[in-house]
Amino acid sequence: MGYDLSMRLWRGDRSGGELADYVVAVEEGEVVLDAIHRVQATQAGDLAVRWNCKAGKCGSCSAEINGRPRLLCMTRLSDFEPEETITVTPMRTFPVIRDLVTDVSYNYEKAKEVPAFAPTPPDKDGNRRMMQADVERGQEFRKCIECFLCQDTCHVIRDHDDNKSSFAGPRFFLRYAELDMHPLDTNDRRKLAQGAAGLGMCNITKCCTEVCPEHIKITDNAIIPMKERVVDRRYDPVVWLGSKILRREQRNET
Amino acid sequence: MTAGLLGAGRARIPQKTLRKDRWWLAPAATFVVFAAFVVYATWRAFTGELYYAKPYLSPFYSPCLTTECLEGSSDFGSPITWWALSPALIILVFPLGFRMTCYYYRKAYYRAFWLSPPACAVAEPHGKYSGETRFPLILQNLHRWFWYAAVAVGAVLTFDAVLAFRNEDGEWGHMGLGTLIFVVNVVLIWLYTLGCHSCRHIVGGRLRHFSKHPVRYRLWGLVSKLNEKHARYAWLSLFSVAIADLYVYLLARGTIEDLRFF
Ligand code: SF4
Ligand code: SF4
Ligand code: FES
Ligand code: FES
């Protein structure tokens, strides 16, 4: 049961571009990336689109579909009415290279600023041990496929280019949270909090969580807990008093 | 004006959003309901009357601590003698501060009132943005202080709900529709208060080794469950507290009679 789908795809590069109209034959059960591939095969051989796995696991095919940041390969055509026009643009927070492909190197720069995992020395037998409860905690964060849709949708940088220099973004707040919660990590807690200082820019409006294709609760489980950890160090009278009396300044132990 | 969607190198797309769904519905609804609550609560807090109808004390006025309080409404005495305005204003600072700094409410009003952003991938209308890094929004970090206060407020409202099991003559073992409303309200308030992100952090979130603190780990798990529904309880408890107050108001005014069960 195929039908003809109307699409508007953004064509262009840094010097400019526009939404171009296409009508393409599609089949039931296909995804937006299939339709784009068919446009590429039949009508626009030079259309640039980035993809790899077509299984929602490589994080390459991020774009905006009808204005919403999504993976092209995981967005089913059946989510739309057959007569509806589907508009696809590149991610609008990053510089465009050509057509639907953007330059996401901002994210790689931010990744470099996150300290590496620095584990404690191994036990006598050469192994490192963690209890299951502690392992499970960080598991959610490791589901990240680095599609950068959360970074794309975050208004802190999407609407304010000049914040990019000081803001790591939700994907990297996950990394800071993971390190800060890791029982075997020895990075200096205070430095971690400072590194994630862009955290104060986040106003917890949860768009990153809304778009994450891995359904990671970025705001609830990483950003807010990190904000609370900052509060511990700077704004909580009880914790401050406790640290003075109990000399637990280095709460690395707990 | 800082460059946003038309920042360096980005695809030149003039529209502020290409979303076609009704993204404005949620912020618009939030705006209307919050604004209605604020108007209602302001009016009720400033009137300073019709907040006590034996045995019910409106949650807006509890605990009633000033010498202005209506007879019989001061269950904790009236230590405050110098306050001439409505006694609600002293107490409401705490729940108000608690909800204003609540992570969920922040999300809701940043979106609905400040349009920052109005919805995901819809451009915000502001030229500059510094998030919660500067005064006054840096004060949001005081949420935990308000949480400590909210626990005390919750305890007082629980006490009020217990007192509501009396009849008009102060005899125990009675119940009316008002009692039911009070009990439901205080349950919702606790579900909201205990699902707070700060609470979640305090009971266990701040630990690095869950495995070394099994009891706190379990508590953290319980709070996390409530926390997932935090937005829902934020709304429900907002409604229930307004309904409890309205019920007392209507009783005190004589508009309705309390439906006594036994
Ligand atoms: S919750 Fe914070 S990090 Fe996530 S999109 Fe919103 S502002 Fe950005
Ligand atoms: S956190 Fe989610 S949205 Fe962000 S990069 Fe990872 S998978 Fe993508
Ligand atoms: S192509 Fe790999 S996530 Fe879409
Ligand atoms: S009450 Fe909502 S997060 Fe604390």
Side-chain angles (χ1 to χ4, degrees):
Chain A
M1 279 271 292
Y3 62 95
D4 284 339
L5 173 72
S6 301
M7 298 194 93
R8 304 189 78 196
L9 307 179
W10 195 82
R11 303 295 312 266
D13 54 27
R14 281 184 200 197
S15 59
E18 58 176 10
L19 288 167
D21 289 294
Y22 298 92
V23 176
V24 62
V26 293
E27 298 293 327
E28 209 177 337
E30 289 189 318
V31 295
V32 173
L33 185 60
D34 292 317
I36 290 175
H37 277 158
R38 197 158 302 119
V39 170
Q40 207 181 33
T42 59
Q43 308 167 41
D46 61 343
L47 172 67
V49 56
R50 192 188 271 138
W51 67 286
N52 263 293
C53 69
K54 211 169 165 285
K57 283 295 164 223
C58 73
S60 308
C61 65
S62 306
E64 300 192 10
I65 303 173
N66 284 354
R68 311 182 76 154
R70 303 182 74 164
L71 294 178
L72 295 174
C73 72
M74 295 305 281
T75 307
R76 296 181 166 278
L77 293 178
S78 56
D79 291 353
F80 307 88
E81 298 299 325
E83 55 280 358
E84 191 176 345
T85 303
I86 298 182
T87 305
V88 183
T89 68
M91 289 193 280
R92 294 178 66 184
T93 298
F94 309 120
V96 66
I97 296 176
R98 197 157 68 84
D99 302 339
L100 302 179
V101 177
T102 47
D103 172 3
V104 293
S105 45
Y106 157 76
N107 301 290
Y108 303 131
E109 293 307 315
K110 293 297 159 184
K112 284 185 211 155
E113 291 168 16
V114 187
F117 175 54
T120 50
D123 297 341
K124 283 203 181 67
D125 60 2
N127 292 319
R128 288 192 179 81
R129 287 180 177 75
M130 267 172 84
M131 300 298 282
Q132 188 59 26
D134 299 325
V135 174
E136 276 164 13
R137 190 180 198 182
Q139 217 67 326
E140 177 186 18
F141 304 153
R142 309 191 137 255
K143 293 194 299 180
C144 174
I145 59 170
E146 303 228 290
C147 63
F148 304 130
L149 287 172
C150 55
Q151 307 280 87
D152 174 50
T153 200
C154 180
H155 70 117
V156 176
I157 48 175
R158 185 180 176 94
D159 295 338
H160 307 278
D161 227 28
D162 53 346
N163 285 340
K164 279 184 179 166
S165 55
S166 53
F167 187 71
R171 191 272 166 267
F172 299 102
F173 294 148
L174 283 186
R175 285 287 296 143
Y176 285 104
E178 195 186 340
L179 286 175
D180 209 15
M181 293 173 188
H182 200 300
L184 299 185
D185 181 67
T186 57
N187 276 295
D188 184 323
R189 306 292 113 196
R190 278 155 211 279
K191 290 233 180 75
L192 282 182
Q194 278 162 12
L199 203 61
M201 305 276 256
C202 162
N203 67 354
I204 53 167
T205 35
K206 283 199 171 176
C207 288
C208 48
T209 307
E210 237 172 73
V211 301
C212 176
E214 286 292 317
H215 307 291
I216 303 172
K217 300 270 191 314
I218 308 172
T219 321
D220 285 347
N221 289 345
I223 296 178
I224 294 175
M226 282 304 279
K227 282 194 178 235
E228 285 292 313
R229 278 156 193 256
V230 173
V231 171
D232 267 355
R233 288 174 199 117
R234 299 215 196 123
Y235 307 101
D236 187 313
V238 181
V239 175
W240 179 80
L241 212 70
S243 72
K244 289 287 158 206
I245 298 168
L246 302 171
R247 299 203 158 274
R248 278 205 310 186
E249 284 270 52
Q250 280 300 335
R251 38 162 224 101
N252 278 1
E253 279 313 295
T254 50
Chain B
M1 186 80 190
T2 57
L5 284 175
L6 295 177
R10 302 194 196 186
R12 304 266 135 204
I13 301 169
Q15 289 90 334
K16 286 193 178 296
T17 184
L18 289 168
R19 280 181 69 164
K20 292 196 242 171
D21 55 327
R22 288 185 291 166
W23 55 263
W24 43 267
L25 192 62
T30 307
F31 182 89
V32 169
V33 177
F34 281 3
F37 180 84
V38 167
V39 169
Y40 175 80
T42 308
W43 164 60
R44 284 293 291 148
F46 275 90
T47 54
E49 56 177 18
L50 301 175
Y51 55 82
Y52 184 59
K54 269 185 185 170
Y56 308 124
L57 171 60
S58 158
F60 287 4
Y61 284 80
S62 179
C64 207
L65 295 175
T66 78
T67 33
E68 301 287 306
C69 289
L70 295 175
E71 200 197 323
S73 66
S74 293
D75 294 309
F76 298 88
S78 358
I80 299 172
T81 52
W82 40 268
W83 186 263
L85 299 172
S86 161
L89 300 177
I90 296 184
I91 285 310
L92 277 184
V93 172
F94 299 102
L96 181 74
F98 184 49
R99 290 191 185 236
M100 286 296 285
T101 57
C102 161
Y103 287 97
Y104 169 71
Y105 280 104
R106 270 144 80 181
K107 170 200 164 193
Y109 67 75
Y110 285 144
R111 283 195 187 195
F113 286 74
W114 195 239
L115 308 179
S116 177
C120 302
V122 178
E124 59 178 324
H126 309 286
K128 279 233 168 277
Y129 174 87
S130 57
E132 299 184 332
T133 55
R134 300 213 189 120
F135 184 82
L137 292 184
I138 197 163
L139 295 181
Q140 305 283 27
N141 285 306
L142 298 182
H143 183 57
R144 193 175 304 171
W145 298 47
F146 284 113
W147 184 77
Y148 295 135
V151 172
V153 171
V156 170
L157 294 185
T158 309
F159 185 65
D160 287 340
V162 172
L163 292 184
F165 283 91
R166 298 175 307 176
N167 65 9
E168 282 188 27
D169 303 320
E171 291 156 357
W172 288 95
H174 295 276
M175 196 178 168
L177 179 58
T179 320
L180 189 65
I181 293 176
F182 270 46
V183 169
V184 170
N185 177 46
V186 79
V187 167
L188 289 172
I189 298 248
W190 275 121
L191 290 173
Y192 170 68
T193 308
L194 295 177
C196 166
H197 282 279
S198 292
C199 174
R200 186 178 183 223
H201 176 78
I202 292 166
V203 301
R206 59 195 303 267
L207 299 171
R208 294 186 76 198
H209 293 90
F210 278 160
S211 51
K212 287 189 190 164
H213 305 267
V215 177
R216 290 179 71 181
Y217 177 44
R218 282 206 54 185
L219 278 176
W220 178 84
L222 291 174
V223 172
S224 297
K225 284 223 173 70
L226 285 182
N227 181 262
E228 279 170 22
K229 303 203 178 82
H230 192 56
R232 181 187 309 169
Y233 293 130
W235 282 99
L236 290 178
S237 60
L238 192 72
F239 290 130
S240 71
V241 85
I243 290 170
D245 174 75
L246 182 67
Y247 191 75
V248 174
Y249 168 73
L250 294 175
L251 285 183
R253 225 174 143 243
T255 315
I256 55 170
E257 293 262 306
D258 190 24
L259 185 69
R260 302 303 299 181
F261 301 154
F262 52 83

